[in-house]
Amino acid sequence: MSTNATGKISFVKGQGGLSMVRVETGISSAEIYLHGAHVTYFQKNGEAPLLWMSAESKFDANSPIRGGVPVILPWFGAKEGASAHGFARVKEWALKEVGVSADGSMTVQLKLPQCPEMAASTPFTVNYFVTVGEKLELKLVLANVSSDKTLEIEECLHSYFTVGDIASVKVRGLKGVKYLDKVSGMTDRTETNEEIVVASEVDRVYKDTTGTVEIHDEKLRRVIQVEKEGSASTVVWNPWIAKSKAMADFGDEEYHGMVCVETGNVGKNKLVIGPGKTHTMVARLGASTQ
Ligand code: TA6
């Protein structure tokens, strides 16, 4: 355990006996599992937790954790003969460094270890920097370490947010953006609403969009900001009734208290990284009370 004037970092056994880093700064706290480099908790002192976790989530080495911020790499969605959303979220990441900044925020750096699944692709490395402070800042740095081959890769920080009641939530910031509607057979549509409301399953991959998305939560009287850099895709998801029931690690009624607004480069926005080049994506997550 290491501490400084305002913060503390502890290395503990979390749920399921999985290794977890607990970060406590003077103004916020977070929990990060080495399994999947999975941030499961972030809360600013005096506010409701920012991230949502399923009470039914598994915590074992072979399963993804349900909730928080799954790190989706090197593909997004389904893939023939492989598990959905890639393998990074079920690997044990290496803890590389922890640090404190002058403003009291604390950063944990994790690295995806080389693994057999990577052999099939252009060699790459993944470093992930989780900064806990006023906001939760997530920085994903992909490096193409090949000297002559390009790297084609998808990435997504699949953030689950706590809301008071999905029925009184409005998602703003995507008006005019084109999206792939996965609920109506992968139809290409354009967002016409200033405010997106969720009253059935919503599963949309918004394309070529770099703006901040806001989650207006009337019940918790707060606005969550999902700010980003180096990301062209935003995914909005709520499983609603049938899909909630179909997932073993998702409570039948839990869809009322969550919404995903995800930060990535997926589908038509997948990354093509040149030999020896790197790409950085940042998601900056926080809330302001109304
Ligand atoms: O990002 C939305 C989505 O792609 C949905 O289609 C749904 O499958 C969700 O991800 C969760 O996927 P998972 O593999 O974690 O159950």
Side-chain angles (χ1 to χ4, degrees):
M1 175 166 69
S2 67
T3 59
N4 68 358
T6 56
K8 182 169 85 172
I9 290 190
S10 322
F11 306 92
V12 299
K13 287 297 179 196
Q15 297 192 56
L18 298 178
S19 299
M20 189 253 276
V21 182
R22 181 167 174 77
V23 179
E24 291 165 285
T25 71
I27 51 169
S28 56
S29 52
E31 293 179 355
I32 310 154
Y33 281 79
L34 298 192
H35 177 65
H38 202 123
V39 180
T40 54
Y41 175 82
F42 173 77
Q43 184 170 14
K44 241 183 100 184
N45 301 348
E47 291 184 8
L50 187 71
L51 304 177
W52 174 88
M53 276 295 296
S54 171
E56 310 296 329
S57 177
K58 296 177 185 165
F59 285 88
D60 68 55
N62 305 311
S63 309
I65 293 170
R66 176 67 70 188
V69 184
V71 179
I72 307 294
L73 275 165
W75 66 85
F76 178 85
K79 182 176 181 175
E80 185 70 33
S83 49
H85 285 340
F87 51 78
R89 62 178 178 167
V90 290
K91 293 292 179 188
E92 181 89 354
W93 290 52
L95 178 61
K96 300 304 284 180
E97 196 170 336
V98 295
V100 189
S101 302
D103 65 1
S105 62
M106 303 176 94
T107 298
V108 176
Q109 178 191 350
L110 301 123
K111 184 172 185 178
L112 178 65
Q114 292 301 306
C115 56
E117 294 86 340
M118 291 168 145
S121 82
T122 300
F124 65 96
T125 62
V126 186
N127 280 283
Y128 186 38
F129 301 83
V130 178
T131 299
V132 182
E134 271 292 326
K135 297 187 175 217
L136 175 66
E137 182 180 279
L138 308 170
K139 179 161 71 173
L140 205 49
V141 181
L142 308 183
N144 175 354
V145 294
S146 163
S147 56
D148 58 356
K149 289 201 292 289
T150 56
L151 171 69
E152 293 197 11
I153 193 166
E154 292 178 295
E155 60 179 353
C156 188
L157 295 170
H158 191 300
S159 308
Y160 289 74
F161 295 99
T162 294
V163 297
D165 178 355
I166 192 64
S168 61
V169 162
K170 295 179 175 65
V171 176
R172 296 175 63 99
L174 291 162
K175 183 174 182 180
V177 180
K178 289 186 173 30
Y179 66 92
L180 188 65
D181 188 350
K182 293 172 69 174
V183 171
S184 64
M186 301 299 192
T187 314
D188 280 318
R189 298 182 191 278
T190 300
E191 187 54 67
T192 55
N193 298 302
E194 198 72 53
E195 297 181 330
I196 298 164
V197 295
V198 177
S200 61
E201 182 184 354
V202 170
D203 194 349
R204 301 176 188 173
V205 181
Y206 290 86
K207 303 181 262 192
D208 304 325
T209 176
T210 57
T212 296
V213 171
E214 292 185 339
I215 303 168
H216 290 249
D217 183 339
E218 191 182 312
K219 190 153 185 192
L220 291 183
R221 299 175 58 75
R222 72 176 180 185
V223 178
I224 294 174
Q225 294 89 17
V226 183
E227 192 189 329
K228 62 180 189 172
E229 292 158 31
S231 158
S233 313
T234 293
V235 182
V236 178
W237 180 56
N238 181 288
W240 209 245
I241 301 168
K243 193 138 196 188
S244 297
K245 288 190 171 129
M247 294 183 282
D249 61 348
F250 198 110
D252 291 358
E253 299 301 324
E254 288 188 318
Y255 68 92
H256 292 286
M258 57 69 68
V259 68
C260 285
V261 175
E262 306 159 34
T263 305
N265 290 292
V266 305
K268 121 181 236 299
N269 294 129
K270 75 176 175 186
L271 297 175
V272 180
I273 305 176
K277 303 292 185 195
T278 62
H279 181 277
T280 298
M281 177 173 78
V282 177
R284 211 166 282 116
L285 314 175
S288 49
T289 47
Q290 285 173 327

